[in-house]
Amino acid sequence: MDNIQKMQRLIEEINKHNINYYVYDNPTISDAEYDKLYYSLVDLEKLTGVTLEGSPTLRVGDTVLDGFTKKQHEVRLYSLNKVRDLDDLKAWFAEMNLKSGGTDFALEYKFDGLQLVLEYDNGIFQNATTRGNGIVGEDVTAQVRTIKSVPLKIKFKNKLIVQGEGMMLQSSLAEYNKTAEIKLKNARNGVAGAIRNLDPKETAKRKLDYFCYSILKCDGHEFLTQKAMHEFLVENGFKTGEYFKVFNDFNEIVKEIDAVDKIKGKLDMLIDGMVIKINKVQPREQIGWTNKFPKWAIAFKFEAQELSTLLQDVIWQVGRSGRVTPIACLDPVELAGATVSRATLNNIEDIQRKNISIGSRVFVRRSNEVIPEVMGLAEELPNAKAITHPETCPSCGEKLTRVGPLLFCTNHFGCREQVVDRISHFASRNAFNIEGFSEKTAKLFYDELGVRKLSDLFEIKIDDLLKLPSFKQKKADNIINSIEKSKNITFNRFLFALGISEVGDKTAKDLANEFDSLNDIQNASIERLASIRDVGEVIALKIREFFDEEYNLKEIEKLFEHGVKIKYPVKNTGNLPLKGKTIVLTGTLPNLSRNEAEALIESLGGRTSSSVSKNTDFCLLGENPGSKYTKAKALGIQILTQEDLIKLKIAIDKRVYE
């Protein structure tokens, strides 16, 4: 097949996927797979010097659907040029510096939603339009009016045209899919289908958001920089994603891109890269545009977080609480820097909701270190078969109990997988931190030493270990010494080690900071537990159930009999200077990591938040602050520095352990 034929095939395939996505609201491949096809076509066009008729590379944006009123854009819209590696980004950076005579660059999130243009006049929202082909879009004013984060009235009174992204937050997607008859495959598809729905009532059900990032026209107001535009948007009540930074050093930009890449999976909104623009407006006119994108801006795309692959099988895995969870076995795919061959499926109802079957193609998503998850069906293939759940435990053969969508094995001490998982958790780094102990060790202790309970670990003797395969004197000594050393443990680690359902490392710390002793937690009511920040009624009920179980109380008593001692924090009796205050961090602190800063704030009685609002008491300011600082200033929120925190810390006694 020659290159022209390859291009024709690619054009047909890409256009088919465009119709599936934009017209039928039913994507069958991921964005990353679409990009791979698209850039293969781009590379062939560069190689041959030919662009065939109907090529998607000729078009800006999406198909304009019949059924909507067409509206011509007052200001021409462009796409963004994208780069796929840092060498290309570095070349663009050097070229922009050369053409501008030296400049700084604005860095923003690349939102993964549906582009929308909003018009205002006399401070009142007038209309909204999709990007369409960049010249003509669809009038979606009625649909956009349902988005509560779109301001209907703003301070600025002259004509204003802004550009931004309609988004469906991950939390909104999860909420929608709980009750939806037809489940959405992903948040990006969710917003596209919502905005391009002729019935605004259906749009409203998806609880969309709007994040603004550009000003296309602003009568009577001139902006010298992208930063000034951003501040104007914040002042007029537009959501911006609370991220905006300016850099002039390439290495700093790369460092920041890497930092955002690591935390993107924790964001509620979908981002698939970072946008870099020349900050100053004046050089942009000189550098100019191609017929498709501005030369002075570029998008750096992160590694793919979502791809489609074949679901080969589903196995069922038993956890330490006895819960039996389905695990998807997949054709391996390279995803977010790792080879993914397994992914979580949560429970029976999750499988039904996602409408997947063995032998079908599914979407799988991985965000940084987060366990990969099957998101939904990509394409039903011939010979696919339904997924059935087991009636008996795959580990011990005990009959399973079903509670709602969940399956449980109640054979808590005779089920090998349960016991091994509990022991591994108990000995893990954030719990008793028994050095040299692994899941393999836990299995060996279960099989050869009859370890069934947590307290059994403290009854093991060195002679027991020397009988085990691969255990020689030095290794046995190390394990025994580590077990003995682990007996002195901080309150939060002890709580985490118990393996209380839904109580992770953070919740254990919250409980340890709130209660003076284990006895206080054991006697606390559900209402008291639920009143603790980030605990809530569900987790409170799990804690109460754990301490109401006679076996658990006896096991804790045995731990104490074996010499385990809890090191309780001594609460500072003076008035903590930040007690009850909410602090938002922005920028990089010179001598403190973010975790250290949060710990320092908590030791002073405060709590941290990720977003600025009217309930924020202080903004902790670091170097290169983002839009949180701009918003804090606009709301009149008091600013703190690292030096202010350290002075407050010096003024009170440090928290110590008895």
Side-chain angles (χ1 to χ4, degrees), residues 86 162 190 229 323 354 423 441 452 497 558 572 646:
L86 292 174
V162 298
M229 290 187 206
R323 180 174 166 181
K354 289 170 178 174
I423 295 168
T441 312
R452 296 293 184 271
K558 281 186 180 179
N572 192 299
I646 292 171

Side-chain angles (χ1 to χ4, degrees), residues 64-71 129 136-140 198:
V64 179
L65 295 182
D66 293 332
F68 284 94
T69 302
K70 296 175 177 59
K71 184 176 184 301
T129 315
V136 175
E138 301 143 348
D139 187 324
V140 288
L198 291 170

